[in-house]
Amino acid sequence: MSNIAVSLQNLTLAYGDTIAVPSLNLDIIDGELIALLGPSGCGKTTTMRAIAGLMKPRSGTILIDGKDVTKTPANKRGVGLVFQSYALFPHLTGFENVAFGLRLKKRPNDEIVQRVEAGLELVGLSHLATRKPSELSGGQQQRLSLARSLVMEPKVLLLDEPLSNLDARLRLDMRTELQALQRQTGITMVFVTHDQSEALALADRIVLMKNGHIEQIGSPEALYDSPQTVFAADFVGFENIFSVGLNTQNEGTTIYNNTGELTLPYQANVSHLAWRPGGVVVGSGPHKGVVTGMAFAGDKREYVITTSAGKIKADVDVSVPAIQIGEDVFFDLPESSARMLDDKATQTQFKHG
Amino acid sequence: MGQTWASRLIIFTTLLFLVGPFIIIIFAGLSAGSSLAFPPDGLSLKWYLAVFEVESFRQSFVLSMFLAVGGTLTALVIGVPAAYAICRYNIPGAETIKIIVAAPIIVPGIIVGLALLRYLVVPLEFTVTLALFLAHTALVLPYAVRVVSASLQNLRTDIEEAAVLLGCNRLQAFTKVILPNIRSGILAAFILGFVTSFNQVPVSLFLSGPGVRTLPIDMLAYMEITYDPSVAALSALLAFLSIGIVFIAEKTLGFSRYV
């Protein structure tokens, strides 16, 4: 039986007349690393700010460690937040930035020095303690910001797009480092991101959000392999999504999108079918199309096949000889790689790029 | 080559035009003669020393200092919160407020002076000193708001939220995080305000009373009666004071960033 670190109950968040998050319910388990994932405007940042106390909920309850903190001001919640832009204090050295919160709490000086040094050590910045934030690189600034929050021993640490301001290599390092820090400290971490690969790589559990609602919650594996809705499927890379027609003829299935339709030789009693580009078979099969795009991606070639049902994206291993743009190809949308989605709520067909 | 010479000539002439009067004043004050003249009538430091002997100069210097320091400090006490509010909150009509705040520098000083005299001093029987103090505060306020706004705008808003999450209340977040970071802007505003107030003539011209004159006005009055080089000497001393202040400010704050 695991403890609940943060519990959001019927949380409604609004800016003026615009409801950003209508009635959200979410339990965050003690010690987990959880991602709030979704496109911009889905309410993930708003939710995070509400947990921090920077935004007053319209209605609903926020519990931290079982205590109702809905009315507790941000400075008394014991929640840490690492800002997207780090929000370091420009006039203070690295050491003083980290010491800021402890000095406010009027901790004895010995304790402050010891805890700040431990904090800087944890993020590997001990040698840069005397530098001002402007003299640190982006990655160092982020780690300083992390240390500043961690020394306060927050009950929950919130991270706003923690990897978005870093370049690709640093991003990978920081990802590993964040995970290690989380395991080491055991602090419950909630991070907000719009990048599905970031969420999949880092989180123990992902909360996929859309328009202020939770679309799906689950482990990275569950979300990746078994998206429950059209939106979720699209978000985790099922780029070919079709609606299933109501009338199935001769044991086949008609699938369609806003461009046209295809008939599959098998039955599917669901509302939508979806394939990853890697799940489409190219070179053989009952359907015919024209290759209208090809991009080399190292270990595979990414094709765009224009069919009677619009453009289909298909990835083929590089060992297979390249098909030139303009050539006709046969392809198959096999049952084995199809993701069957029963998403009655999504009526409109999914638009394709 | 010809172009270079032409542009050098223009630059030289411009600089001469700007600095020339100052040079003339310095030397006119060094005159050994007894009337204001250039080139000076022999060289001596006696008029520079004589300045300190004139009782009315000493009095008006004290008044001018009081107005410059007191008025500027008051303007900052009003201006810093105003700048903060304009920069941080979505105030309806923030642009209009900015323009109104700038009015005292846009409206000619003569008019401001006359208006204050006509509507504050005469009907309400404000003392001249109080009217002067209010006038100088108002004149300096635009600089306070503008310069402090500029340094607030360079400051990220999320550092305040960061301070709150680390345990600050709103006031602490302001004093511990915002103030230290706009300190140089505040100092710059103070210096700019001080110099503006100290050198102010048109408004102060109207607001003078028996024994109450700012230094520039007193110098004007002195010259009407006594045409000796002490006014030139005093002018040179005041110019050196201003240059000194601005020089120190530039060295310590990078003053030119704000002006």
Side-chain angles (χ1 to χ4, degrees):
Chain A
M1 174 81 195
S2 44
N3 283 321
I4 306 295
V6 180
S7 180
L8 309 179
Q9 298 170 353
N10 301 316
L11 191 66
T12 302
L13 305 167
Y15 297 98
D17 291 337
T18 320
I19 306 267
V21 175
S23 195
L24 186 84
N25 287 288
L26 176 65
D27 285 340
I28 296 168
I29 297 158
D30 195 25
E32 79 174 330
L33 181 48
I34 192 166
L36 301 181
L37 172 68
S40 65
C42 73
K44 58 190 190 296
T45 305
T46 312
T47 305
M48 185 193 71
R49 291 177 63 83
I51 298 173
L54 295 172
M55 180 168 187
K56 232 181 238 153
R58 179 66 53 91
S59 62
T61 312
I62 301 172
L63 303 178
I64 294 178
D65 268 357
K67 261 188 291 182
D68 185 346
V69 297
T70 318
K71 298 231 158 50
T72 310
N75 58 346
K76 303 222 158 65
R77 276 199 194 182
V79 172
L81 173 55
V82 176
F83 288 80
Q84 187 174 7
S85 58
Y86 319 135
L88 294 165
F89 306 132
H91 65 297
L92 298 176
T93 61
F95 184 95
E96 285 304 324
N97 261 283
V98 179
F100 188 89
L102 297 171
R103 291 211 192 283
L104 269 176
K105 276 189 161 177
K106 304 231 157 41
R107 308 306 304 173
N109 203 46
D110 302 353
E111 184 194 325
I112 292 177
V113 171
Q114 186 219 324
R115 279 170 72 176
V116 172
E117 278 173 357
L120 288 169
E121 175 92 43
L122 193 66
V123 297
L125 280 183
S126 303
H127 58 300
L128 298 174
T130 55
R131 299 247 184 115
K132 292 271 179 75
S134 59
E135 298 161 335
L136 298 173
S137 72
Q140 289 164 343
Q141 288 185 31
Q142 176 160 51
R143 280 182 286 164
L144 188 60
S145 182
L146 256 172
R148 186 177 66 177
S149 294
L150 285 171
V151 291
M152 300 305 292
E153 292 168 359
K155 289 173 208 135
V156 187
L157 181 62
L158 309 169
L159 303 115
D160 189 5
E161 301 272 1
L163 306 178
S164 68
N165 281 354
L166 304 175
D167 59 43
R169 259 188 67 189
L170 217 52
R171 200 177 274 221
L172 215 63
D173 291 350
M174 200 62 216
R175 192 188 266 182
T176 328
E177 214 163 307
L178 268 177
Q179 266 173 331
L181 268 177
Q182 204 272 333
R183 304 273 179 274
Q184 217 172 321
T185 57
I187 290 177
T188 310
M189 290 190 189
V190 182
F191 75 100
V192 156
T193 180
H194 64 273
D195 182 345
Q196 51 114 348
S197 63
E198 201 171 297
L200 291 170
L202 200 50
D204 298 326
R205 209 153 61 107
I206 296 173
V207 180
L208 180 64
M209 294 179 73
K210 177 197 179 189
N211 298 336
H213 295 280
I214 293 175
E215 191 79 2
Q216 189 170 344
I217 304 184
S219 68
E221 291 82 2
L223 190 67
Y224 190 80
D225 295 332
S226 321
Q228 298 299 314
T229 64
V230 168
F231 176 81
D234 186 55
F235 216 85
V236 297
F238 287 88
E239 293 184 60
N240 306 301
I241 302 178
F242 298 90
S243 299
V244 174
L246 286 174
N247 49 338
T248 52
Q249 4 164 300
N250 341 328
E251 300 189 351
T253 307
T254 307
I255 57 169
Y256 64 93
N257 57 23
N258 28 7
T259 328
E261 57 178 54
L262 283 170
T263 304
L264 303 175
Y266 49 85
Q267 285 222 288
N269 291 317
V270 289
S271 68
H272 294 79
L273 287 174
W275 289 266
R276 291 182 186 282
V280 179
V281 174
V282 179
S284 66
H287 315 291
K288 208 174 148 184
V290 186
V291 173
T292 52
M294 196 264 276
F296 176 68
D299 57 340
K300 64 188 180 199
R301 292 191 178 84
E302 297 171 352
Y303 292 102
V304 178
I305 303 171
T306 301
T307 71
S308 60
K311 290 180 172 127
I312 286 177
K313 290 183 182 163
D315 292 352
V316 179
D317 197 89
V318 276
S319 59
V320 178
I323 307 167
Q324 297 308 312
I325 290 174
E327 279 182 45
D328 287 353
V329 281
F330 285 100
F331 67 93
D332 192 11
L333 297 171
E335 191 173 6
S336 57
S337 62
R339 173 69 199 152
M340 314 252 171
L341 299 166
D342 223 358
D343 184 6
K344 297 281 189 311
T346 309
Q347 291 293 341
T348 49
Q349 298 138 34
F350 219 83
K351 42 176 204 301
H352 279 251
Chain B
M1 197 64 190
Q3 215 180 2
T4 323
W5 275 109
S7 59
R8 275 184 192 169
L9 187 70
I10 291 170
I11 292 168
F12 178 75
T13 317
T14 311
L15 287 178
L16 189 70
F17 190 74
L18 288 172
V19 183
F22 179 52
I23 293 167
I24 291 174
I25 287 294
I26 293 174
F27 284 103
L30 283 171
S31 175
S34 59
S35 70
L36 196 54
F38 187 83
D41 196 7
L43 288 177
S44 103
L45 273 176
K46 68 175 176 182
W47 295 111
Y48 278 87
L49 298 172
V51 165
F52 296 94
E53 304 299 320
V54 180
E55 176 63 24
S56 80
F57 282 169
R58 282 199 297 230
Q59 280 176 4
S60 55
F61 177 79
V62 169
L63 177 66
S64 276
M65 269 311 223
F66 162 73
L67 290 174
V69 174
T72 308
L73 285 180
T74 311
L76 280 171
V77 168
I78 302 166
V80 172
Y84 180 80
I86 290 171
C87 290
R88 286 292 185 268
Y89 298 103
N90 239 339
I91 297 178
E95 281 308 306
T96 318
I97 293 172
K98 274 190 191 169
I99 292 168
I100 292 172
V101 165
I105 28 177
I106 295 166
V107 176
I110 294 277
I111 296 173
V112 177
L114 183 62
L116 288 171
L117 181 67
R118 174 69 185 76
Y119 295 102
L120 282 185
V121 179
V122 177
L124 300 178
E125 293 180 359
F126 274 42
T127 64
V128 175
T129 315
L130 179 59
L132 270 173
F133 177 76
L134 292 176
H136 280 241
T137 303
L139 277 174
V140 168
L141 189 61
Y143 298 104
V145 173
R146 297 235 151 196
V147 176
V148 174
S149 291
S151 55
L152 271 171
Q153 255 142 19
N154 289 333
L155 205 60
R156 300 196 55 91
T157 49
D158 53 13
I159 62 170
E160 234 171 310
E161 291 185 339
V164 167
L165 284 167
L166 290 168
C168 282
N169 58 36
R170 290 300 303 276
L171 186 65
Q172 284 173 319
F174 184 78
T175 56
K176 285 180 188 292
V177 172
I178 302 298
L179 268 188
N181 282 301
I182 59 168
R183 202 180 47 196
S184 55
I186 291 176
L187 264 169
F190 179 80
I191 289 161
L192 198 61
F194 179 88
V195 173
T196 306
S197 164
F198 201 85
N199 295 328
Q200 219 291 318
V201 172
V203 175
S204 308
L205 200 55
F206 282 88
L207 303 172
S208 299
V212 184
R213 279 183 189 147
T214 66
L215 189 52
I217 306 302
D218 198 33
M219 286 161 69
L220 269 178
Y222 182 88
M223 267 186 71
E224 280 168 12
I225 300 160
T226 331
Y227 200 67
D228 68 27
S230 61
V231 169
L234 180 52
S235 301
L237 287 175
L238 292 177
F240 280 121
L241 179 72
S242 291
I243 291 172
I245 291 173
V246 172
F247 180 78
I248 292 168
E250 177 61 40
K251 284 290 160 208
T252 53
L253 303 172
F255 189 55
S256 45
R257 275 187 301 153
Y258 296 96
V259 190

